Amino acid sequence: MLAGQHIILGVTGGIAVYKAVELCRLFVKAGAQVRVVMTEAAKQFVTPLTFQTISKQPVYDRLFIGSERFSVEHVGLAQEADLFVIAPATANTLGKIANGIADNLLTTTLMAAKCPILLAPAMNTNMYENPLQQANLKKLAAVGYHFVGPEQGELACGDQGRGRMSEPQAIFTAACQLLLADPFWQGKHVLVTAGPTREAIDPIRFLTNRSSGKMGYAVAEVAALLGADVTLISGPVDLMPPPGVKTIMVTTAQEMYDAVTAHFPAVDVVVKAAAVADYRPLRQCKQKIKKGNELNLVLVQNPDILAELGRQKQQQILVGFAAETDNLRENAEKKLIQKKLDLIVANNVLQEGAGFAADTNIIQIFYRNGEEKQFPKMTKHQVAREVLNAVKELKNNPVS
Ligand code: C5P
């Protein structure tokens, strides 16, 4: 998700440094190149070796090397950065940068930076509430510095109150929002469906499929990071709702149909990644079905939600998914036409790295004008970005 992005992670000396290690790992895992700059105080809590190992880059900590050499690394580091994050940001460092002091490699690099700056303050509540500290924070916000946290909770000194550094995942999300925000997606409403549906046979058993929901959740998460207003309608899955996404949980295909059609008129884009059960039992037994010699289940067809959206479609872009085991192109193109989709994302679920529960997918995108695009194996978040990019291109250059 962050491939090609250069992030400077500034680490100052507070107990929350241990959480900055996890933040560094999240950035690296998302594909970013991370350069860690530490203050002397930070090194009292965690050694540079830890950050060096996680970031796979040397750690920067000294303005003066030896007695005569003056490092000019700060200028180069600052120039290549797409984002500068300071986590934890102590009262001391915040106070220095608010007042234009550049007396170590971190504050000097920050002063040379022109990229967006994200600060994750961490300090004792009394320090946080100190009027001088508050004035510094206001001053920094006024010149465009971004903040995440601090949160309310238990502090290292045993006090309760505001001052805890935000959790690594929350800082990561705030950083992704700054890096990925795209004016195209601001104010756009995206509706995503994800996961399987469950069709009850009796109070205990149900029919379902192998969908994990990972693909749809990735689309919803990435769309929100790009700046869209996202509603996710999800079948039963084992995933946390993505941050900043309005998530509605449903169980059956009929419930998904009702929720999707209620939201449809107000949305700009629909991405239907859900694996909706095509059939449900004609009758649901009120009591548990007892063992017998033979059991015949009569199944009736569920409504095809996407086909219905195709019928109702006005300005919306419709994106379908086709999980196939054979004749990928033929099946995908048939659905594209029958359901009146703008594009369809097809994958062969039997291919290694493209299955339901995997974290990766191998996709092909088919368009109405016969065009198609093939992609290598990617993480589901990368796939989500490609699908949303395809939607953006289509909105900018519509095809008949
Ligand atoms: O026809 P098939 O199920 O293969 O089509 C897949 C696409 O149609 C997916 O985008 C899926 O979310 C959607 N679909 C639907 N309602 C159904 C069945 C599939 O919206 N009942």
Side-chain angles (χ1 to χ4, degrees):
M1 197 155 65
L2 298 182
Q5 304 277 3
H6 295 85
I7 299 174
I8 299 180
L9 176 59
V11 183
T12 70
I15 187 66
V17 170
Y18 77 94
K19 292 203 263 185
V21 176
E22 172 64 7
L23 176 63
C24 183
R25 198 188 65 84
L26 289 174
F27 285 144
V28 171
K29 204 171 142 219
Q33 190 202 68
V34 186
R35 306 271 187 183
V36 178
V37 183
M38 296 180 83
T39 63
E40 284 305 311
K43 292 193 286 180
Q44 299 294 318
F45 291 90
V46 173
T47 65
L49 187 60
T50 306
F51 283 104
Q52 185 185 314
T53 311
I54 304 272
S55 70
K56 303 183 185 81
Q57 301 285 340
V59 166
Y60 301 84
D61 57 355
R62 278 182 299 167
L63 201 49
F64 300 99
I65 300 161
S67 52
E68 310 102 39
R69 264 185 64 214
F70 173 57
S71 159
V72 284
E73 264 166 350
H74 56 282
V75 182
L77 275 179
Q79 266 167 359
E80 71 166 13
D82 298 299
L83 179 70
F84 202 129
V85 182
I86 304 187
T90 56
N92 176 49
T93 293
L94 289 169
K96 281 188 204 172
I97 56 183
N99 292 286
I101 295 170
D103 65 344
N104 58 28
L105 186 63
L106 174 53
T107 48
T108 311
T109 310
L110 189 85
M111 196 166 273
K114 289 198 156 178
C115 60
I117 293 161
L118 177 65
L119 303 170
M123 67 196 76
N124 166 272
T125 308
N126 293 341
M127 292 168 81
Y128 181 69
E129 286 171 356
N130 184 305
L132 290 172
Q133 185 59 235
Q134 285 299 315
N136 286 337
L137 296 175
K138 280 204 187 81
K139 205 165 154 186
L140 291 167
V143 292
Y145 285 56
H146 303 271
F147 286 90
V148 49
E151 313 294 334
Q152 198 85 23
E154 193 180 329
L155 303 170
C157 55
D159 283 0
Q160 287 282 336
R162 193 147 184 224
R164 266 178 79 87
M165 188 175 86
S166 295
E167 292 306 314
Q169 187 61 51
I171 304 173
F172 176 76
T173 300
C176 290
Q177 275 165 344
L178 287 171
L179 284 166
L180 303 181
D182 176 346
F184 171 84
W185 290 103
Q186 311 295 314
K188 296 257 184 331
H189 194 163
V190 178
L191 178 64
V192 184
T193 69
T197 64
R198 273 183 196 169
E199 313 298 330
I201 297 170
D202 69 12
I204 297 176
R205 290 89 164 207
F206 50 78
L207 297 175
T208 192
N209 58 62
R210 291 182 189 278
S211 170
S212 65
K214 285 181 183 172
M215 191 60 249
Y217 274 58
V219 173
E221 184 180 349
V222 172
L225 293 175
L226 291 169
D229 182 8
V230 185
T231 304
L232 170 66
I233 298 175
S234 169
V237 294
D238 214 3
L239 301 170
M240 291 290 283
V245 169
K246 182 178 160 202
T247 306
I248 300 168
M249 301 302 295
V250 296
T251 305
T252 64
Q254 186 60 49
E255 285 169 15
M256 187 173 277
Y257 177 93
D258 293 341
V260 169
T261 49
H263 282 83
F264 187 55
V267 307
D268 301 291
V269 178
V270 179
V271 181
K272 276 216 93 269
V276 185
D278 290 326
Y279 293 93
R280 66 174 183 276
L282 173 64
R283 269 180 281 280
Q284 292 169 24
C285 292
K286 296 262 179 307
Q287 273 88 37
K288 181 181 171 188
I289 300 171
K290 300 291 182 302
K291 261 200 235 44
N293 284 342
E294 203 174 73
L295 175 67
N296 288 310
L297 275 182
V298 180
L299 302 179
V300 288
Q301 244 184 329
N302 271 325
D304 190 312
I305 308 169
L306 199 46
E308 178 54 31
L309 300 186
R311 282 188 282 276
Q312 294 182 13
K313 176 171 156 173
Q314 306 271 324
Q315 80 292 350
Q316 296 92 341
I317 295 266
L318 283 188
V319 180
F321 271 76
E324 304 292 341
T325 54
D326 51 277
N327 296 333
L328 189 73
R329 171 176 293 111
E330 200 182 314
N331 287 325
E333 284 178 343
K334 203 161 94 193
K335 284 170 197 171
L336 183 74
I337 304 303
Q338 277 175 355
K339 303 190 191 204
K340 299 201 177 70
L341 309 180
D342 295 281
L343 54 94
I344 191 155
V345 184
N347 64 310
N348 181 342
V349 288
L350 298 183
Q351 219 175 336
E352 171 105 22
F356 278 122
D359 288 321
T360 53
N361 209 346
I362 305 166
I363 60 152
Q364 255 169 289
I365 298 183
F366 296 92
Y367 295 82
R368 290 192 75 77
N369 63 357
E371 227 182 273
E372 67 176 80
K373 276 189 195 157
Q374 189 136 20
F375 295 86
K377 180 153 89 176
M378 295 184 286
T379 66
K380 287 187 172 169
H381 284 90
Q382 285 171 321
V383 170
R385 266 203 96 174
E386 294 295 348
V387 170
L388 292 164
N389 274 344
V391 171
K392 177 179 165 180
E393 273 172 32
L394 212 54
K395 271 267 191 197
N396 288 337
N397 309 297
V399 290
S400 55

